[in-house]
Amino acid sequence: MRRLGTGIGWRPEIADAVERMPGIDWVEAVAENVCPGHLPDSLLRLRERGVTVIPHGVSLGLGDAERPDAGRLAALAERAEALGSPLVTEHIAFVRAGGPLTASPRLEAGHLLPVPRTRDALDVLCENVRIAQDALPVPLAVENIAALIAWPGDEMTEGQFLYELADRTGVRLLIDVANLHTNHVNRGEDPAKALAELPLEAIAYVHVAGGFERDGVWHDSHAHPVPRPVLDILTDLASRVSPPGVLLERDENFPAPAELERELGTIRGAVEAGEREGALARASATTGEHDTTETETETETETGTGIGSGTGTGTRTRTGTGTGTVDESAPATAEPAPTALGEATRQRLGLAQAALLSALVAGTPVPEGFDRVRLGVQARALAAKRADVVAKVAPELPLILGSGYRTAFIAYAQGHPMHGGYRQDALDFAEETLLGGRLTEGRARRELRRWWLDRSGPAPRPKSRLGQVGRVGRTLIRR
């Protein structure tokens, strides 16, 4: 795997600071926030300096029950080519459910949700990854995600699930050590066990990020300093394998550039500490193995004297070692060709995902086996995430509504699932706010009405409440 070095997540808010930071070997940009025909000047300058840029997708939905959307794959491929990237990355997550596969309304999560660690989910994920690999011009790496909830009936640990995925598809892994910590706090999973089960040779690079704990739940916020437990997991990983690249993620609450540089230095130190530990452990193991081999050889020579062919030693040829090394001259077993996945498998997974997502974003009953309290935490987190992202794609809304924006949006989100992406979500929120009478006449209502009219087109949008009431609805908003 190509060596990347130390990197940081490129965000417009810190673009200038990233350009000036010493020791930045590469950056990662959110793929959906980059327009191939109009790359940000900062990214262009970084590329001219030889800094690698990797697009990191967040909306493909490789863990969805349905096959990956061809348009989304084409867009991801276009960004990889525009940035001259050596690979692209995405997540092991589902982000939407419903639709024709389950004969139910199509819903979007607006964020990453965990897939069940079952054979059905693994089969679907493997086929979706292969479809993506065929459509992309560069290799694909997929990331383990942080989870607030756990599926009932998991059949594999996270390490086993990732191992089988990599083994069956050849996909690279983006290991987020902060997410391993999140799953340790929220789901009781052992990070060391997960690392021990991973195919370490498949690691493309590593994510490091901060978060916070509230009421016994760890939130992977990407808005706080990297805590010591996450750095310890990074050190453990680096003791097992030298990671090709390590990247600091920060999405909110950006500190001063000097603080980011200190965090990067701490991350480098954690990797170096792990590499030293690993080197010492391997040296110790080699010494012990050498001593053991000498003893075994002496024993075999003594017991073999005068027996057999008359060579006088009876020494046997050994084809392996105590470390599990095998004879590479032996013929490799051919990997069986993947069989076509039946639609019944996708439908079973789709029904389970639709039931969970509907409970989270539409208030339907909690599916059997899930923790109701934890699902409530996840539902509130999804609504808050929607509010944050809509505020970024439509920054005028928080300015117009002031301190009441977040409360108003979260109240709206609890009864209005997202259907068409964040920009559509912003329009729908403004429309509902105006028609629902939540704003009395005044400056905020006038500005919100003007904002909505400027972006909703010359005629009411199809399939919207205003489209259904036609001119009457538009007249109401113009008042």
Side-chain angles (χ1 to χ4, degrees):
M1 179 63 203
R2 173 175 174 173
R3 303 298 297 183
L4 293 169
T6 303
I8 189 169
W10 182 92
R11 304 293 184 265
E13 297 90 338
I14 56 171
D16 292 341
V18 169
E19 285 189 65
R20 295 192 297 268
M21 282 181 189
I24 295 297
D25 302 308
W26 63 291
V27 298
E28 181 190 77
V30 177
E32 289 80 356
N33 295 345
V34 175
C35 180
H38 303 279
L39 294 177
D41 291 340
S42 174
L43 285 181
L44 291 173
R45 287 191 292 268
L46 288 169
R47 286 186 59 221
E48 288 169 359
R49 283 167 36 191
V51 175
T52 299
V53 182
I54 293 178
H56 184 54
V58 297
S59 63
L60 189 56
L62 287 170
D64 292 356
E66 292 190 344
R67 293 170 178 80
D69 179 74
R72 293 181 186 275
L73 283 171
L76 192 55
E78 189 178 11
R79 283 151 178 78
E81 291 176 332
L83 293 167
S85 306
L87 76 160
V88 297
T89 58
E90 248 290 351
H91 297 82
I92 302 170
F94 86 96
V95 297
R96 57 188 67 85
L101 183 66
T102 58
S104 60
R106 187 177 294 279
L107 300 172
E108 292 193 34
H111 198 43
L112 308 166
L113 292 174
V115 298
R117 296 174 195 156
T118 60
R119 287 290 163 190
D120 275 358
L122 180 62
D123 289 344
V124 170
L125 178 61
C126 286
E127 186 171 88
N128 287 353
V129 164
R130 292 189 193 101
I131 291 169
Q133 288 171 317
D134 290 342
L136 294 169
V138 293
L140 171 68
V142 292
E143 178 182 356
N144 60 303
I145 72 163
L148 291 172
I149 57 177
W151 283 84
D154 277 349
E155 298 167 2
M156 287 168 271
T157 65
E158 181 161 38
Q160 292 166 343
F161 193 82
L162 293 176
Y163 188 99
E164 284 219 30
L165 173 64
D167 187 53
R168 289 171 57 176
T169 65
V171 73
R172 294 283 181 174
L173 299 178
L174 192 180
I175 297 301
D176 191 316
V177 292
N179 291 348
L180 291 178
H181 174 66
T182 301
N183 295 344
H184 169 63
V185 176
N186 294 346
R187 299 169 56 156
E189 297 174 357
D190 183 2
K193 185 174 187 292
L195 292 177
E197 293 173 338
L198 288 178
L200 298 177
E201 69 282 358
I203 294 178
Y205 61 88
V206 176
H207 271 175
V208 184
F212 66 95
E213 187 171 351
R214 179 186 295 155
D215 299 328
V217 177
W218 187 267
H219 297 266
D220 181 45
S221 66
H222 295 191
H224 296 77
V226 179
R228 173 49 55 185
V230 171
L231 293 170
D232 290 343
I233 298 172
L234 176 61
T235 296
D236 187 3
L237 185 150
S239 73
R240 301 166 188 266
V241 65
S242 180
V246 181
L247 181 129
L248 171 64
E249 286 189 295
R250 190 73 176 240
D251 296 334
E252 303 279 355
N253 192 27
F254 297 102
E259 179 59 30
L260 288 174
E261 290 175 23
R262 279 194 291 273
E263 277 209 289
L264 286 166
T266 302
I267 288 169
R268 291 188 188 97
V271 172
E272 291 167 0
E275 290 175 340
R276 287 194 299 270
E277 289 178 13
L280 288 172
R282 285 187 289 274
S284 176
T286 300
T287 302
E289 179 183 306
H290 178 68
D291 293 342
T292 302
T293 302
E294 285 185 348
T295 302
E296 288 177 352
T297 301
E298 290 171 2
T299 302
E300 289 165 4
T301 301
E302 290 171 1
T303 57
T305 303
I307 300 175
S309 61
T311 60
T313 62
T315 304
R316 297 189 295 270
T317 302
R318 301 177 66 85
T319 59
T321 69
T323 60
T325 305
V326 297
D327 182 3
E328 294 184 358
S329 63
T333 303
E335 189 72 21
T339 57
L341 185 64
E343 287 303 299
T345 303
R346 289 187 177 274
Q347 189 174 52
R348 284 194 300 273
L349 179 63
L351 289 169
Q353 290 180 341
L356 173 60
L357 186 52
S358 182
L360 289 170
V361 303
T364 56
V366 173
E368 185 177 354
F370 282 95
D371 184 321
R372 292 175 179 274
V373 174
R374 192 56 64 84
L375 249 66
V377 174
Q378 179 70 82
R380 291 190 292 274
L382 289 177
K385 181 70 174 179
R386 279 175 67 185
D388 291 341
V389 178
V390 165
K392 287 184 176 181
V393 301
E396 302 87 355
L397 293 179
L399 292 176
I400 293 170
L401 298 176
S403 60
Y405 161 75
R406 189 175 180 83
T407 301
F409 188 93
I410 290 176
Y412 154 81
Q414 289 173 348
H416 298 81
M418 187 166 69
H419 298 284
Y422 284 111
R423 287 179 174 79
Q424 185 64 53
D425 208 20
L427 285 169
D428 291 344
F429 166 64
E431 177 182 314
E432 177 64 26
T433 301
L434 290 165
L435 286 178
R438 294 186 176 90
L439 280 180
T440 58
E441 276 299 336
R443 181 191 60 80
R445 181 177 176 84
R446 289 194 300 273
E447 290 185 6
L448 184 61
R449 179 177 58 204
R450 186 179 304 114
W451 181 89
W452 187 90
L453 290 171
D454 286 345
R455 288 158 180 79
S456 62
R461 290 172 290 117
K463 298 182 181 179
S464 72
R465 287 180 60 188
L466 291 182
Q468 293 168 8
V469 299
R471 292 182 180 179
V472 175
R474 198 162 182 87
T475 301
L476 287 172
I477 282 196
R478 287 186 185 280
R479 288 179 184 171

